Amino acid sequence: MKFREFLLKSRKKLILGKDAESNEELVKKFKGKPNLILHTAMPGSPFCVIEVKKPDKADIKTAAVYCARYSQDWRDNKGDVKVNIFTGKDVYKSKGMPTGTFGVKKSRTIAVKKEEIQKLR
């Protein structure tokens, strides 16, 4: 499998990249679309996409916890993780950006607490 996939409590699908190549493929698929995409504020995170266009707050929070859980920030620090949330319409790719790297025009950030990540296990 190229991606990690989870069903949220609302039965909506959450898709996470596993590496630079799968992140590239995932973001390209949803670039320009209104779906929410999540990525940690620090490099080394899966891009995470909630497949529906208007997820509720609980789905967004759960997706942020998964994003944080599979990030290098969590792996290396085992502390709270900041996660950026944006839409596919806010994503761009400039010439020369490495595989799996994208720019974001605007985003908002939420903090995922260490305890929330530990509950996923």
Side-chain angles (χ1 to χ4, degrees):
M1 246 175 128
K2 292 185 215 183
F3 306 109
R4 289 185 175 97
E5 294 183 3
F6 300 96
L7 275 182
L8 302 169
K9 286 184 182 178
S10 64
R11 310 297 296 160
K12 296 168 188 155
K13 191 187 297 186
L14 175 65
I15 308 165
L16 286 72
K18 287 184 168 183
D19 54 28
E21 289 77 22
S22 61
N23 274 342
E24 182 84 18
E25 186 177 331
L26 183 61
V27 174
K28 280 184 176 179
K29 180 179 178 181
F30 289 94
K31 187 176 162 215
K33 297 183 180 179
N35 299 71
L36 284 187
I37 301 174
L38 297 88
H39 190 278
T40 61
M42 298 293 292
S45 162
F47 278 96
C48 308
V49 177
I50 302 172
E51 212 171 40
V52 331
K53 292 177 179 63
K54 294 196 179 201
D56 60 28
K57 286 183 181 181
D59 285 341
I60 294 168
K61 184 63 176 188
T62 302
V65 174
Y66 275 101
C67 184
R69 164 64 183 87
Y70 288 98
S71 71
Q72 289 177 15
D73 189 5
W74 170 251
R75 180 195 71 197
D76 296 344
N77 302 310
K78 299 293 189 221
D80 296 354
V81 176
K82 291 182 181 177
V83 176
N84 294 326
I85 302 168
F86 44 93
T87 69
K89 291 180 178 183
D90 294 318
V91 174
Y92 66 91
K93 181 89 172 184
S94 297
K95 187 177 178 181
M97 284 182 160
T99 300
T101 302
F102 291 86
V104 178
K105 296 174 195 166
K106 63 180 180 175
S107 67
R108 62 186 172 101
T109 303
I110 62 172
V112 177
K113 300 285 185 197
K114 173 183 178 177
E115 297 77 22
E116 294 171 308
I117 301 168
Q118 289 173 324
K119 286 180 187 177
L120 266 186
R121 295 178 182 206

